[in-house]
């Protein structure tokens, strides 16, 4: 009886932890910029969904080996995008800033209003080196 | 779902007869041996399982025309049920859940004294028996307005208020309607006078906000004056000292918060759709809805129509703004015409009369401000109680759901490029099924 009870409780624990794991699974996608100057990883704390503000950040690395050691915290990044199939843009105007704490670019105010195919464009402006590039992420919510 | 075959039923019946024939002679050695065996228990359990399944299957009226639901569809249906509705806090209104504020707000909501002609209350246009609408083309307050009265059911779930979202809280919306010349036409100082001099309201105000409104403070304040009043009223408002204006603004904002507290309690009750959703999610099938209603639901949540893309969540609204081709440039073009006023509104989430911390005002802070992109956009309306809320669209242009469906079914390639809508190929029968489903909400 005791053995059965332990087995039963263990199976519940396993189920709950697997559910919690699904909910907390981060969302990640990595793309190279159009001029192949940057490798950009977009990382969100949980799977992308509609109707809620997303907790996401960008990790940007230079692809060019000679610039690889350069600090990339001086970039100015603007965001655009939307749903091409519905001819509309993003429902909000997110802001992207460098975070000294996380050493990443934080995306604040990002939200999706509908399920379906979305595209996000990040316009990278490196004023110090006079470089402009763009990286795009296509995904389905 | 597993369904027993005919042959299995036959075998089950044969086995049952065999056991029954043995049991007629309880002393039969073969029966006694069988009775004490484990196999006997297993057979009985199997019999109960098969028979219960057979009964459940036979109880379904649509056994020959059963509509199957995929796991994805069941998940979507679950997300639309009222069971999935969560309370939405309003940090800008600290009395939102205060029972005294709710009581005070209910009185104010139903009181025609809050209008210049003494004939208009919030309940004039938001009638309970009509799904908290008025079934009129456009609202008829002090005079005819320009917009159809939206329902108040589950309105506290919204992020933005009015068809164009010109207010970011329910209390700011209430105050705006009271001051609107086409609605209550009640100026700001009139409201202040009423709250101060009305013994019952004065007492209610003190109980909720802990401050007594003194008649001394009315000295020098004109009876009719306000920023949204007529020209004379506006001039008088501008002459009021800044400190007194702030006091008046605070008092009317507080009273509006009490109204919002009451309005936040107006919620949908469980409908046939909710009962169906709960049953189909639990059992995989349900006969609560008719075949036509189910086919309508299937279409509604499919990408063939894409209805679910905007009419999502238990309130059937994604709370966002979309251009569906109903805006009229230079006359009523929706969100794009109010966005600047939203940002600079003294009664918004970031304003001095809001109880929210700046970091709680995310919707306002990150709202889209591009007027070009917002052109022709209106807020996705809830579809709950849609059978009671005709006519439809922001200006009540469609008197019934048949006309609404016709609008969506007639989106051309060019129109699809101009609006947020895709081309939708739905025939008359499918439109009828969609309407059947909508009437279950």
């Amino acid at each position: 009886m005791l053995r059965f009870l332990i087995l039963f409780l263990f199976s519940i624990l396993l189920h709950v932890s697997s559910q919690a794991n699904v909910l907390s699974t981060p969302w990640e996608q990595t793309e190279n910029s159009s001029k192949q100057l940057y490798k950009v990883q977009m990382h969100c704390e949980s799977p992308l969904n509609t109707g809620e503000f997303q907790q996401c950040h960008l990790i940007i690395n230079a692809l060019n080996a000679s610039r690889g050691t350069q600090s990339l915290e001086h970039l100015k990044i603007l965001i655009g995008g939307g749903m091409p199939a519905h001819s509309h843009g993003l429902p909000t105007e997110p802001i992207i800033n460098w975070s000294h704490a996380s050493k990443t670019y934080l995306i604040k105010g990002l939200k999706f209003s509908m399920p379906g195919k979305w595209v996000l464009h990040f316009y990278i402006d490196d004023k110090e080196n006079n470089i402009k590039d763009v990286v795009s992420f296509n995904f389905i919510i | 779902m597993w369904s027993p075959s005919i042959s299995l039923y036959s075998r089950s019946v044969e086995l049952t007869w065999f056991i029954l024939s043995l049991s007629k002679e309880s002393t039969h050695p073969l029966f006694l041996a069988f009775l004490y065996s484990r196999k006997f228990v297993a057979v009985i359990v199997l019999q109960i399982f098969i028979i219960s399944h057979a009964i459940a299957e036979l109880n379904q009226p649509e056994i020959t025309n059963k509509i199957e639901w995929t796991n994805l569809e069941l998940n979507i249906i679950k997300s639309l049920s009222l069971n999935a509705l969560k309370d939405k806090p309003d940090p800008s209104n600290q009395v939102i859940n205060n029972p005294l504020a709710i009581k005070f707000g209910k009185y104010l909501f139903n009181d025609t004294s809050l209008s210049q002609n003494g004939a208009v209350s919030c309940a004039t246009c938001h009638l309970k028996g009509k799904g908290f609408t008025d079934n009129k083309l456009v609202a008829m307050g002090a005079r005819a307005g320009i917009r159809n009265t939206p329902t108040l059911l589950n309105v506290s779930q919204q992020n933005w208020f009015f068809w164009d979202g010109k207010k970011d809280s329910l209390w700011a919306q209430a105050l705006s309607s009271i001051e609107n010349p086409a609605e209550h036409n009640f100026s700001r100082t009139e409201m202040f006078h009423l709250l101060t001099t009305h013994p019952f309201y004065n007492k209610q105000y003190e109980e909720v906000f802990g401050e007594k409104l003194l008649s001394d403070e009315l000295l020098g304040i004109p009876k009719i004056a306000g920023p949204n009043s007529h020209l004379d009223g506006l001039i008088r408002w501008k002459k009021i000292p800044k400190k007194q204006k702030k006091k008046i603004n605070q008092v009317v904002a507080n009273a509006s918060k009490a109204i919002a507290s009451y309005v936040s309690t107006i919620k949908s009750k469980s409908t046939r759709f909710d009962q169906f959703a709960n049953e189909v999610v639990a059992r995989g099938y349900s006969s609560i809805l008719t075949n036509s209603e189910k086919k309508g639901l299937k279409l509604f949540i499919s990408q063939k129509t894409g209805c679910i893309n905007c009419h999502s969540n238990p309130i059937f609204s994604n709370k966002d703004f979309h251009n569906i081709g109903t805006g009229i440039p230079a006359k009523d073009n929706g969100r794009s015409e109010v966005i600047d006023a939203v940002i600079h509104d003294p009664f918004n989430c970031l304003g001095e009369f809001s109880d929210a911390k700046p970091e709680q005002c995310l919707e306002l802070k990150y709202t889209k401000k591009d007027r070009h992109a917002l052109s022709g956009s209106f807020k996705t309306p809830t579809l709950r109680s849609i059978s009671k809320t005709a006519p439809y669209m922001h200006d009540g242009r469609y008197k019934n759901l048949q006309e609404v469906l016709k609008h969506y079914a007639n989106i051309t390639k060019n129109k699809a490029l101009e609006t947020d809508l895709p081309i939708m190929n739905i025939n008359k029968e499918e439109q009828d099924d969609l309407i059947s489903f909508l009437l279950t909400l």
Side-chain angles (χ1 to χ4, degrees), chain A residues 50-53 85-95 108-109 111 113-116, chain B residues 159 303 308-310 312 318 320 322 362-363 366-370 416-417 419-422:
Chain A
T50 60
E52 292 174 356
F53 285 105
H86 295 270
S87 321
H88 68 71
L90 295 173
T92 55
E93 290 183 2
I95 294 168
K108 289 185 179 174
K111 203 178 196 184
S113 52
M114 289 162 62
Chain B
N159 296 323
Q303 285 308 313
I308 189 70
N309 293 342
C310 294
S312 50
N318 65 355
D320 201 20
H322 295 285
L362 299 180
E363 294 291 344
Y366 298 110
T367 192
K368 189 191 269 190
K369 301 162 195 79
D370 181 351
L417 286 171
T419 67
D420 294 356
L421 292 175

Side-chain angles (χ1 to χ4, degrees), chain B residues 304-324:
Chain B
K304 181 177 181 180
T305 65
C307 305
I308 189 70
N309 293 342
C310 294
H311 295 286
S312 50
N313 303 311
I315 64 164
F316 288 78
S317 165
N318 65 355
K319 312 171 194 178
D320 201 20
F321 301 91
H322 295 285
N323 178 352
I324 59 161

Side-chain angles (χ1 to χ4, degrees), chain B residues 141-144 176-186 228-230:
Chain B
R143 63 168 194 249
S176 175
S177 287
I178 289 167
E179 291 192 293
N180 188 329
E183 297 183 50
H184 295 238
N185 193 25
F186 205 46
N228 300 310
S229 188
H230 46 67

Side-chain angles (χ1 to χ4, degrees), chain A residues 48-110:
Chain A
L48 300 179
N49 58 24
T50 60
E52 292 174 356
F53 285 105
Q54 311 294 302
Q55 307 296 321
C56 305
H57 62 254
L58 298 174
I59 300 166
I60 303 178
N61 291 303
L63 277 175
N64 187 333
S66 63
R67 296 176 62 237
T69 53
Q70 281 185 315
S71 167
L72 293 178
E73 62 190 75
H74 62 283
L75 303 172
K76 186 182 178 188
I77 301 167
L78 295 176
I79 186 172
M83 294 188 89
H86 295 270
S87 321
H88 68 71
L90 295 173
T92 55
E93 290 183 2
I95 294 168
I96 302 167
N97 283 315
W98 174 256
S99 162
H100 287 286
S102 64
K103 303 283 181 204
T104 61
Y105 286 91
L106 290 184
I107 308 170
K108 289 185 179 174
L110 179 63

Side-chain angles (χ1 to χ4, degrees), chain A residues 3 6 17 39 47 50 55 72 107 109 112 129 139:
Chain A
R3 203 182 300 168
I6 291 166
S17 64
K39 183 181 179 185
T50 60
Q55 307 296 321
L72 293 178
I107 308 170
F112 303 103
N129 298 293
F139 48 87

